[in-house]
Amino acid sequence: MLRRRRRAPLLLAAGAGVALAASFAASPSADGRGVPSALHGVARSSRAMYTIGFVIVDYKYSLRGLAPGSADYKMKLSEVHLRSAKKLLKLCEVNRGFYVKAGQFVSSLRQVPKEYVSTLSCLQDQATPCKFQDIKIVIEQTFGKDLHDIFLDFDEHPIAAASIAQVHRGRLNNNQEVAVKVQYPGLEWRMKLDIMTMSLLSKSVSLIFPDYRFEKILLEFERTMSMELDFTKEASNSKRTASCFRKNNVVKVPRVFQELTTKEILTMEFCYGHKVDDLDFLRKANISPTKVAKALIELFGEMIFVHGFVHGDPHPGNILVSPQGQGRFSLVLLDHGIYKELDPKFRVDYCKLWKALILLDAQKILELGEQFGVGKYAKYFPLIFTGRTIDSKSALGTQISGEEKMRIKQDLSSLGMDDISSFMESLPPDFLVILRTDGLLRSILGNLGAPRHVRLLAYAKSAIYGLEKHSILESGSINCISLRVKTNISYLHLRTRVGLAGLLVQFNDCKHKVMDKLRWMLRRISLGWYRPLILCPAVG
């Protein structure tokens, strides 16, 4: 153990030298900015190492001598979580770029401590635009033409700015309005350096805290960033998604202009709309937030369970609501850089898992847990996805009992960091994408005020149709009609269960409102009886 403690600081100290060498090796020098770029890379890496070093020391010494699981330990742990999250937030804000993306990635995972989620979630919309002159150089060097030979109009001010690119509004020579997404210069070498630094820090943390093992999360983050830096892949994903939903009148995917799209530049149709959770806009446009929530979760349910081709970054800025008049709307799906094609077997097993979750089939959930490779942690699937324990008797969509709340609290308090990291490490890569996507969607549904059963019913429907697709592929088209009949019966069964749960929720809400009204009336009556006795003067 002593050797492990000694090795970690040495590894952190060596990181600065490694970062320096990597920066000079990887930084671009054609523009004469190689040395400044390398020094900037070293500064970023050094800040990261200092911050993580501070966090390690804080955890190590703040929790020293406290019994794990005790009240003092839990209170102190929450304090350290919050301090560390604030340190990481500051690091992300200063280093920007991929550190902001990493912060966004962590804040969308429901499995990390809530202090990190709440603190880092402010990074979702935070980005500083690049100078227009740099953007102009990228466009002109890429296409070998003057900017105004390509575009009739081009707005110098970006309409959106993210951590790796910004979007400008333009007009082609045929008057077609377009949105032009331009990648910031020098990102590829910076990503290599940042990922190498993060990997080094992850290994250092694992040496000091063996229970913290998040290599899979880092690998998934690296995979998603590599995809996001290639805009030709984003164009391909966009076309495929448009094809999947070509018969859906609610879903709109902007058309890509292939001749003006490269690895660093993406030109697409300009679409009007507001963020999906902009409640003020929805009210003014007379659009029901619940209908928007239903359309959104049905869209992603079909993506996950039926097509197995999943948009990996559904935050509000990437989904717009475009009014179509008389309360109707379309959902405009943007930013197709991060997608995950689910393994066919995983997709089918995930469909089966959701069917088991809706039917409260504990045995099937545990069996599927073995299929996913999570073993004993399968009992937490109902808690993660539906907010229920595996042996819950409460109807889905209803409030859980006080006894069940206590049982959940006890279960969660018994989980150590080793359990959480073991669970995350044992999950198939596809599951990490599902968890992140579902976490972002649930946040949007919460902002829209959608009832709980909207998500459950949409996922149940999509899971059944996903299983139907699998059955048709296995049996061929001969039994297609009978399979469709079975699917519809199965879906109606699940819909009935979730629908009854929804009615029960409405009944309970109504009961609480009536009780609150009765209490209010009794208080008023009580005040009416006693005030005269106190305030009226005695007679006689």
Side-chain angles (χ1 to χ4, degrees):
M1 185 68 181
L2 184 59
R3 186 182 299 170
R4 183 184 289 149
R5 286 179 183 173
R6 285 175 179 165
R7 281 174 61 194
L10 288 173
L11 191 56
L12 283 170
V18 175
L20 181 64
S23 296
F24 278 100
S27 60
S29 56
D31 60 356
R33 294 185 296 174
V35 172
S37 295
L39 292 176
H40 178 63
V42 172
R44 287 159 60 83
S45 299
S46 299
R47 273 193 294 268
M49 289 172 188
Y50 169 79
T51 301
I52 298 301
F54 178 91
V55 169
I56 289 172
V57 170
D58 198 5
Y59 273 100
K60 202 74 179 174
Y61 290 97
S62 295
L63 302 175
R64 190 172 56 176
L66 297 175
S70 66
D72 288 343
Y73 180 89
K74 290 176 184 175
M75 184 176 72
K76 184 63 71 175
L77 182 62
S78 179
E79 291 173 5
V80 180
H81 281 335
L82 187 59
R83 275 200 304 271
S84 301
K86 287 179 178 178
K87 282 281 181 184
L88 291 176
L89 174 63
K90 188 175 180 181
L91 172 67
C92 293
E93 289 173 340
V94 175
N95 276 6
R96 296 169 55 193
F98 294 101
Y99 285 85
V100 171
K101 298 297 290 186
Q104 292 173 348
F105 192 85
V106 170
S107 70
S108 65
L109 292 172
R110 297 174 61 82
Q111 292 67 44
V112 301
K114 64 180 185 298
E115 292 85 357
Y116 284 90
V117 174
S118 59
T119 304
L120 296 175
S121 60
C122 68
L123 290 167
Q124 292 296 356
D125 296 315
Q126 188 171 333
T128 304
C130 187
K131 292 178 181 177
F132 175 69
Q133 192 58 35
D134 293 333
I135 295 298
K136 185 183 178 187
I137 289 170
V138 171
I139 295 172
E140 292 182 340
Q141 286 183 349
T142 299
F143 295 117
K145 295 180 182 179
D146 186 77
L147 182 69
H148 294 292
D149 289 337
I150 306 168
F151 301 99
L152 193 64
D153 292 313
F154 195 91
D155 191 347
E156 294 187 10
H157 303 287
I159 55 174
S163 49
I164 68 167
Q166 62 193 50
V167 181
H168 290 259
R169 190 170 174 177
R171 189 183 298 275
L172 299 180
N173 291 320
N174 63 357
N175 278 324
Q176 169 70 53
E177 271 197 289
V178 291
V180 186
K181 184 176 177 181
V182 185
Q183 197 176 115
Y184 301 137
L187 276 184
E188 194 167 349
W189 75 267
R190 199 182 301 165
M191 184 194 79
K192 290 176 182 176
L193 176 62
D194 288 348
I195 292 292
M196 186 183 69
T197 304
M198 291 175 193
S199 177
L200 178 70
L201 293 173
S202 174
K203 288 172 183 174
S204 301
V205 171
S206 297
L207 284 171
I208 300 172
F209 298 104
D211 293 340
Y212 287 66
R213 297 184 302 278
F214 297 112
E215 286 84 359
K216 274 194 177 181
I217 293 178
L218 185 59
L219 286 172
E220 182 60 29
F221 175 68
E222 183 177 3
R223 184 194 71 82
T224 58
M225 288 304 98
S226 298
M227 286 176 59
E228 204 167 358
L229 284 181
D230 187 350
F231 289 172
T232 60
K233 287 184 180 176
E234 179 169 350
S236 176
N237 293 338
S238 178
K239 289 177 184 177
R240 182 171 169 182
T241 302
S243 176
C244 288
F245 293 94
R246 63 188 180 279
K247 295 180 181 178
N248 189 323
N249 295 326
V250 175
V251 181
K252 169 72 175 173
V253 178
R255 180 163 64 97
V256 172
F257 294 88
Q258 200 65 49
E259 67 278 8
L260 291 175
T261 295
T262 68
K263 200 173 178 184
E264 295 85 17
I265 299 170
L266 175 67
T267 305
M268 54 198 157
E269 172 189 5
F270 183 86
C271 294
Y272 294 89
H274 287 250
K275 283 186 179 181
V276 69
D277 61 352
D278 186 341
L279 292 175
D280 288 337
F281 163 74
L282 294 178
R283 289 191 192 98
K284 288 174 185 174
N286 196 30
I287 296 172
S288 163
T290 302
K291 286 184 179 178
V292 170
K294 184 173 179 291
L296 175 67
I297 203 67
E298 285 178 350
L299 159 62
F300 276 88
E302 187 176 335
M303 268 190 179
I304 294 166
F305 296 98
V306 180
H307 301 298
F309 189 60
V310 187
H311 190 302
D313 196 20
H315 66 75
N318 286 339
I319 306 159
L320 305 181
V321 176
S322 180
Q324 302 298 313
Q326 298 181 332
R328 293 179 293 111
F329 61 90
S330 61
L331 292 177
V332 181
L333 200 55
L334 305 174
D335 199 348
H336 301 268
I338 302 175
Y339 266 77
K340 180 70 174 179
E341 182 153 16
L342 303 180
D343 176 80
K345 184 179 184 307
F346 173 86
R347 183 188 66 81
V348 172
D349 286 342
Y350 191 64
C351 288
K352 291 176 181 176
L353 174 63
W354 263 91
K355 185 177 179 181
L357 288 169
I358 299 293
L359 295 175
L360 304 176
D361 188 343
Q363 186 57 42
K364 188 65 178 177
I365 291 169
L366 294 174
E367 285 176 17
L368 289 165
E370 294 297 327
Q371 296 278 345
F372 290 126
V374 299
K376 64 179 182 178
Y377 299 111
K379 71 175 184 176
Y380 294 107
F381 279 152
L383 190 58
I384 291 169
F385 291 113
T386 66
R388 294 286 183 275
T389 57
I390 196 163
D391 53 354
S392 174
K393 303 302 178 197
S394 304
L396 288 172
T398 63
Q399 293 288 342
I400 58 176
S401 64
E403 182 185 346
E404 191 170 349
K405 282 182 183 176
M406 185 63 68
R407 204 158 56 243
I408 290 173
K409 193 174 180 181
Q410 288 170 352
D411 274 355
L412 293 178
S413 65
S414 68
L415 285 174
M417 203 61 221
D418 58 332
D419 290 306
I420 295 173
S421 67
S422 293
F423 172 66
M424 297 298 286
E425 281 291 302
S426 63
L427 285 172
D430 290 357
F431 229 123
L432 290 173
V433 177
I434 293 291
L435 289 172
R436 182 174 187 270
T437 300
D438 188 55
L440 289 168
L441 291 171
R442 287 168 82 166
S443 175
I444 294 173
L445 295 188
N447 293 341
L448 290 170
R452 295 180 202 174
H453 66 271
V454 167
R455 171 174 160 273
L456 298 177
L457 188 56
Y459 277 4
K461 177 181 179 180
S462 297
I464 293 301
Y465 281 102
L467 289 172
E468 178 204 11
K469 177 184 174 182
H470 173 67
S471 300
I472 290 172
L473 288 173
E474 280 197 332
S475 62
S477 58
I478 299 172
N479 300 319
C480 184
I481 296 174
S482 62
L483 281 169
R484 225 170 255 285
V485 171
K486 288 179 183 177
T487 298
N488 288 334
I489 292 171
S490 185
Y491 170 61
L492 285 171
H493 177 210
L494 295 184
R495 183 185 176 93
T496 302
R497 290 191 69 137
V498 178
L500 286 173
L503 286 173
L504 195 54
V505 171
Q506 291 177 12
F507 173 75
N508 286 332
D509 288 345
C510 186
K511 183 177 75 174
H512 289 310
K513 286 177 183 176
V514 169
M515 292 301 294
D516 289 342
K517 186 73 174 176
L518 283 172
R519 290 190 192 99
W520 178 80
M521 289 173 66
L522 287 170
R523 278 198 299 272
R524 293 297 298 267
I525 291 169
S526 175
L527 289 170
W529 282 347
Y530 288 105
R531 263 184 193 152
L533 297 176
I534 297 169
L535 299 176
C536 293
V539 179

